Coordinates of all heavy atoms in Angstrom, one line a residue:
M89 N 95.4 104.9 96.5 CA 94.7 103.7 97.3 C 94.8 102.4 96.7 O 94.4 102.3 95.4 CB 93.3 104.1 97.8 CG 92.6 103.0 98.5 SD 91.7 103.6 100.0 CE 91.3 102.2 100.7
N90 N 95.2 101.4 97.4 CA 95.2 100.0 96.8 C 94.2 99.2 97.3 O 93.7 99.2 98.4 CB 96.6 99.4 97.0 CG 97.8 100.0 96.2 OD1 97.4 100.6 95.1 ND2 99.0 99.9 96.6
Y91 N 93.6 98.3 96.4 CA 92.7 97.4 96.8 C 93.2 95.8 96.5 O 93.9 95.5 95.5 CB 91.4 97.6 96.0 CG 90.9 98.9 96.0 CD1 91.4 100.0 95.2 CD2 89.9 99.3 97.0 CE1 90.9 101.2 95.4 CE2 89.4 100.5 97.1 CZ 89.9 101.5 96.4 OH 89.5 102.8 96.5
Y92 N 92.8 94.9 97.5 CA 93.2 93.5 97.3 C 92.1 92.9 96.4 O 90.8 93.3 96.5 CB 93.2 92.7 98.5 CG 94.6 92.7 99.2 CD1 94.8 93.3 100.4 CD2 95.5 92.0 98.4 CE1 96.1 93.2 100.9 CE2 96.7 91.9 99.0 CZ 97.1 92.5 100.2 OH 98.3 92.3 100.8
T93 N 92.5 92.2 95.5 CA 91.4 91.5 94.6 C 91.6 90.0 94.8 O 92.7 89.5 94.9 CB 91.7 91.9 93.1 OG1 93.0 91.6 92.7 CG2 91.4 93.3 92.8
V94 N 90.5 89.3 94.7 CA 90.5 87.8 94.9 C 89.8 87.3 93.8 O 88.9 87.8 93.2 CB 89.9 87.5 96.2 CG1 90.6 88.0 97.4 CG2 88.4 88.0 96.3
C95 N 90.1 86.0 93.5 CA 89.6 85.3 92.3 C 88.1 85.0 92.7 O 87.9 84.6 93.8 CB 90.5 83.9 92.2 SG 89.6 82.8 91.1
P96 N 87.2 85.2 91.9 CA 85.8 85.0 92.1 C 85.5 83.6 92.1 O 84.3 83.2 92.7 CB 85.1 85.8 91.0 CG 86.0 85.8 89.9 CD 87.5 85.9 90.6
T97 N 86.3 82.8 91.6 CA 86.0 81.3 91.6 C 86.5 80.6 92.8 O 85.8 79.8 93.4 CB 86.7 80.6 90.3 OG1 86.1 81.3 89.1 CG2 86.3 79.2 90.2
C98 N 87.8 80.8 93.1 CA 88.3 80.1 94.2 C 88.6 80.8 95.5 O 89.2 80.3 96.5 CB 89.5 79.2 93.7 SG 91.0 80.4 93.3
G99 N 88.6 82.2 95.4 CA 89.0 82.9 96.5 C 90.4 83.3 96.7 O 90.9 83.9 97.7
Y100 N 91.2 82.8 95.8 CA 92.7 83.1 95.9 C 92.9 84.6 95.9 O 92.4 85.2 94.9 CB 93.4 82.3 94.7 CG 94.9 82.4 94.7 CD1 95.6 81.5 95.4 CD2 95.5 83.4 94.1 CE1 96.9 81.4 95.3 CE2 97.0 83.4 94.1 CZ 97.7 82.4 94.7 OH 98.9 82.4 94.9
K101 N 93.8 85.1 96.7 CA 94.2 86.4 96.6 C 95.2 86.7 95.5 O 96.2 86.2 95.6 CB 94.9 86.8 98.0 CG 94.8 88.2 98.4 CD 95.4 88.5 99.7 CE 94.4 88.3 100.8 NZ 95.1 88.7 102.2
L102 N 94.6 87.5 94.6 CA 95.5 87.7 93.4 C 96.6 88.7 93.4 O 97.7 88.5 93.3 CB 94.4 87.9 92.1 CG 93.5 86.8 91.9 CD1 92.5 87.4 91.0 CD2 94.3 85.8 91.1
L103 N 96.1 90.0 93.6 CA 97.0 91.1 93.7 C 96.4 92.3 94.3 O 95.3 92.4 94.6 CB 97.5 91.4 92.3 CG 96.5 91.5 91.2 CD1 95.6 92.8 91.2 CD2 97.2 91.4 89.8
K104 N 97.3 93.2 94.6 CA 96.8 94.5 95.0 C 96.8 95.5 93.8 O 97.8 95.5 93.0 CB 98.0 95.3 95.9 CG 97.6 95.2 97.4 CD 98.7 95.9 98.0 CE 98.6 95.8 99.6 NZ 99.8 96.5 100.2
A105 N 95.7 96.2 93.7 CA 95.6 97.1 92.5 C 95.2 98.4 93.0 O 94.5 98.5 94.0 CB 94.6 96.4 91.4
S106 N 95.6 99.5 92.1 CA 95.2 100.7 92.6 C 94.0 101.3 91.7 O 93.5 100.7 90.7 CB 96.3 101.7 92.3 OG 96.8 101.6 91.0
D107 N 93.5 102.3 92.2 CA 92.3 102.9 91.6 C 92.6 103.3 90.1 O 93.8 103.8 89.7 CB 91.9 104.2 92.3 CG 90.4 104.5 92.2 OD1 89.6 103.6 91.7 OD2 90.0 105.6 92.7
G108 N 91.7 103.0 89.2 CA 91.9 103.2 87.9 C 92.6 102.0 87.0 O 92.8 102.2 85.9
S109 N 92.8 101.0 87.8 CA 93.5 99.8 87.1 C 92.6 99.1 86.2 O 91.3 99.1 86.4 CB 94.0 98.8 88.2 OG 95.1 99.4 89.0
N110 N 93.1 98.5 85.1 CA 92.4 97.5 84.3 C 93.3 96.3 84.0 O 94.3 96.5 83.2 CB 92.0 98.3 83.0 CG 91.0 97.4 82.2 OD1 91.2 96.2 82.2 ND2 90.0 98.0 81.6
I111 N 93.2 95.3 84.7 CA 94.2 94.2 84.7 C 93.6 92.9 84.2 O 92.5 92.6 84.5 CB 94.8 94.0 86.2 CG1 95.4 95.3 86.6 CG2 95.7 92.8 86.2 CD1 95.5 95.4 88.1
E112 N 94.4 92.3 83.4 CA 94.0 91.0 82.9 C 95.0 90.0 83.6 O 96.1 90.2 83.5 CB 94.1 90.9 81.3 CG 93.3 89.7 80.7 CD 93.3 89.7 79.2 OE1 92.9 90.9 78.6 OE2 93.7 88.8 78.7
I113 N 94.3 88.9 84.3 CA 95.3 88.0 84.8 C 94.7 86.6 84.9 O 93.5 86.3 84.8 CB 95.4 88.5 86.3 CG1 96.5 87.6 87.2 CG2 94.1 88.5 87.2 CD1 96.8 88.3 88.6
I114 N 95.5 85.5 85.0 CA 95.1 84.2 85.0 C 95.3 83.7 86.5 O 96.6 84.0 87.1 CB 95.8 83.4 84.1 CG1 95.3 83.8 82.7 CG2 95.5 81.8 84.3 CD1 96.1 83.0 81.6
C115 N 94.3 83.2 87.2 CA 94.5 82.8 88.6 C 95.5 81.6 88.6 O 95.3 80.6 87.9 CB 93.2 82.4 89.1 SG 93.2 81.7 90.7
P116 N 96.5 81.7 89.5 CA 97.5 80.6 89.4 C 97.0 79.3 90.1 O 97.4 78.3 89.9 CB 98.6 81.1 90.3 CG 98.0 82.3 91.0 CD 96.8 82.8 90.3
K117 N 95.8 79.4 90.8 CA 95.3 78.3 91.4 C 94.2 77.5 90.7 O 94.4 76.3 90.4 CB 94.6 78.7 92.8 CG 94.4 77.6 93.7 CD 93.8 78.1 95.0 CE 93.4 76.9 95.9 NZ 92.7 77.4 97.2
C118 N 93.3 78.3 90.0 CA 92.2 77.5 89.3 C 92.3 77.8 87.7 O 91.6 77.3 87.0 CB 90.9 77.8 89.7 SG 90.4 79.6 89.5
K119 N 93.3 78.6 87.4 CA 93.6 78.9 86.0 C 92.4 79.7 85.2 O 92.4 79.6 84.0 CB 93.9 77.6 85.1 CG 94.9 76.7 85.9 CD 96.3 77.3 85.9 CE 97.3 76.4 86.5 NZ 98.5 77.0 87.0
E120 N 91.6 80.3 85.9 CA 90.6 81.1 85.3 C 91.2 82.5 84.8 O 92.0 83.0 85.5 CB 89.5 81.5 86.3 CG 88.6 80.3 86.8 CD 87.4 80.0 86.0 OE1 87.3 80.7 85.0 OE2 86.5 79.4 86.4
K121 N 90.7 82.8 83.8 CA 91.1 84.2 83.3 C 90.2 85.2 83.8 O 89.0 85.0 83.6 CB 91.2 84.2 81.7 CG 91.9 85.4 81.1 CD 92.1 85.1 79.5 CE 92.7 86.3 78.8 NZ 92.6 86.2 77.6
I122 N 90.8 86.2 84.4 CA 90.0 87.2 85.1 C 90.4 88.7 84.7 O 91.6 88.9 84.4 CB 90.1 87.1 86.6 CG1 89.6 85.7 87.0 CG2 89.4 88.1 87.3 CD1 90.4 85.2 88.2
I123 N 89.5 89.4 84.4 CA 89.6 90.9 84.2 C 89.2 91.7 85.4 O 88.1 91.6 85.9 CB 89.0 91.4 82.9 CG1 89.6 90.8 81.6 CG2 89.2 92.9 82.8 CD1 89.0 91.1 80.4
I124 N 90.1 92.5 85.9 CA 90.0 93.2 87.1 C 89.9 94.8 86.9 O 90.9 95.2 86.1 CB 91.0 93.0 88.2 CG1 90.9 91.5 88.7 CG2 90.8 93.9 89.3 CD1 92.2 91.0 89.3
E125 N 88.8 95.5 87.0 CA 88.8 96.9 86.9 C 88.5 97.6 88.2 O 87.6 97.1 89.0 CB 87.8 97.3 85.9 CG 88.1 97.0 84.5 CD 86.8 97.4 83.5 OE1 86.3 98.4 83.7 OE2 86.6 96.6 82.6
I126 N 89.2 98.6 88.4 CA 88.8 99.4 89.7 C 88.6 100.9 89.2 O 89.4 101.5 88.6 CB 89.9 99.3 90.6 CG1 90.4 97.9 91.0 CG2 89.5 100.2 91.8 CD1 91.3 97.8 92.1
D127 N 87.4 101.2 89.5 CA 86.9 102.6 89.1 C 86.3 103.4 90.2 O 85.3 102.9 90.7 CB 85.9 102.4 88.0 CG 85.5 103.8 87.4 OD1 86.2 104.7 87.4 OD2 84.3 103.8 86.8
N128 N 87.0 104.4 90.7 CA 86.5 105.2 91.9 C 86.2 104.3 93.1 O 85.2 104.5 93.7 CB 85.3 106.0 91.5 CG 85.6 107.2 90.6 OD1 86.7 107.8 90.7 ND2 84.8 107.4 89.6
G129 N 87.1 103.3 93.3 CA 86.9 102.5 94.5 C 85.9 101.4 94.3 O 85.8 100.5 95.3
K130 N 85.4 101.3 93.2 CA 84.5 100.1 92.9 C 85.3 99.1 92.2 O 85.8 99.3 91.1 CB 83.3 100.5 92.1 CG 82.2 99.6 92.2 CD 81.0 100.2 91.4 CE 81.1 99.8 89.9 NZ 80.0 100.1 89.0
I131 N 85.3 97.9 92.7 CA 86.1 96.7 92.1 C 85.2 95.9 91.2 O 84.1 95.4 91.7 CB 86.8 95.9 93.2 CG1 87.7 96.8 94.1 CG2 87.6 94.8 92.6 CD1 88.3 96.1 95.2
V132 N 85.5 95.8 90.0 CA 84.7 95.0 89.1 C 85.5 93.8 88.6 O 86.6 94.0 88.2 CB 84.3 95.8 88.0 CG1 83.3 94.8 87.0 CG2 83.4 97.0 88.3
V133 N 85.1 92.5 89.0 CA 85.9 91.3 88.6 C 85.1 90.7 87.6 O 84.0 90.2 88.0 CB 86.3 90.5 89.9 CG1 87.1 89.3 89.4 CG2 87.0 91.4 90.9
V134 N 85.7 90.4 86.6 CA 84.8 89.6 85.5 C 85.7 88.4 85.0 O 86.8 88.4 84.7 CB 84.7 90.5 84.2 CG1 83.8 89.8 83.1 CG2 84.1 91.8 84.6
K135 N 84.9 87.3 85.1 CA 85.6 86.0 84.5 C 85.5 86.0 83.0 O 84.5 86.4 82.5 CB 84.8 84.8 85.1 CG 85.4 84.2 86.4 CD 84.9 82.9 86.6 CE 83.5 82.8 87.2 NZ 83.0 81.4 87.4
V136 N 86.6 85.5 82.4 CA 86.6 85.4 80.9 C 86.6 83.9 80.5 O 87.4 83.1 81.0 CB 87.9 86.1 80.5 CG1 87.9 86.0 78.9 CG2 87.9 87.5 81.0
L137 N 85.6 83.7 79.8 CA 85.6 82.2 79.3 C 86.7 82.0 78.3 O 86.9 82.8 77.3 CB 84.2 81.9 78.8 CG 83.0 82.0 79.8 CD1 81.7 81.7 78.9 CD2 83.2 81.0 80.8
T138 N 87.5 81.0 78.6 CA 88.6 80.7 77.6 C 88.5 79.4 77.0 O 87.8 78.4 77.6 CB 89.9 80.7 78.3 OG1 90.0 79.9 79.5 CG2 90.3 82.1 78.6
E139 N 88.9 79.1 75.8 CA 88.9 77.8 75.2 C 90.0 76.9 75.6 O 91.1 77.5 75.8 CB 89.0 77.9 73.6 CG 87.7 78.8 73.0 CD 88.0 78.9 71.6 OE1 88.7 78.1 70.9 OE2 87.5 79.9 71.1
N140 N 89.8 75.8 75.8 CA 90.9 74.9 76.2 C 91.7 74.5 74.9 O 91.3 74.2 73.9 CB 90.2 73.6 76.7 CG 89.8 73.7 78.1 OD1 90.2 74.5 78.9 ND2 88.7 73.0 78.4
K141 N 93.0 74.7 75.1 CA 93.9 74.4 74.0 C 94.2 72.9 73.9 O 94.5 72.3 75.0 CB 95.1 75.2 74.1 CG 94.9 76.6 73.7 CD 96.2 77.5 74.0 CE 95.8 78.9 73.6 NZ 96.9 79.9 74.0
Ligands
LIG400 ZN1 91.1 81.1 91.1

């Protein structure tokens, strides 16, 4: 089963992920770094604070 994940900051639709996924992604719209975990159908989206280079 696949789940759509959206950026918690801007609502941009990021990707489809399947159960058991653990994905690190940067939102192409707002450039937030996000970690997405899917565990037994529960989607956990965590924003990662990054330093500006
Ligand atoms: Zn975003």
Side-chain angles (χ1 to χ4, degrees):
M89 174 131 191
N90 286 341
Y91 301 88
Y92 266 115
T93 56
V94 295
C95 174
T97 302
C98 69
Y100 186 89
K101 202 181 276 183
L102 295 167
L103 46 75
K104 259 189 191 172
S106 56
D107 212 6
S109 293
N110 189 320
I111 299 159
E112 199 175 301
I113 189 171
I114 293 173
C115 175
K117 196 175 174 187
C118 66
K119 313 296 184 199
E120 292 268 18
K121 192 175 180 185
I122 300 152
I123 291 173
I124 297 162
E125 281 181 44
I126 302 179
D127 185 25
N128 287 321
K130 200 180 80 173
I131 303 172
V132 180
V133 181
V134 183
K135 267 198 282 181
V136 181
L137 296 176
T138 51
E139 292 172 31
N140 289 326
K141 282 178 186 169

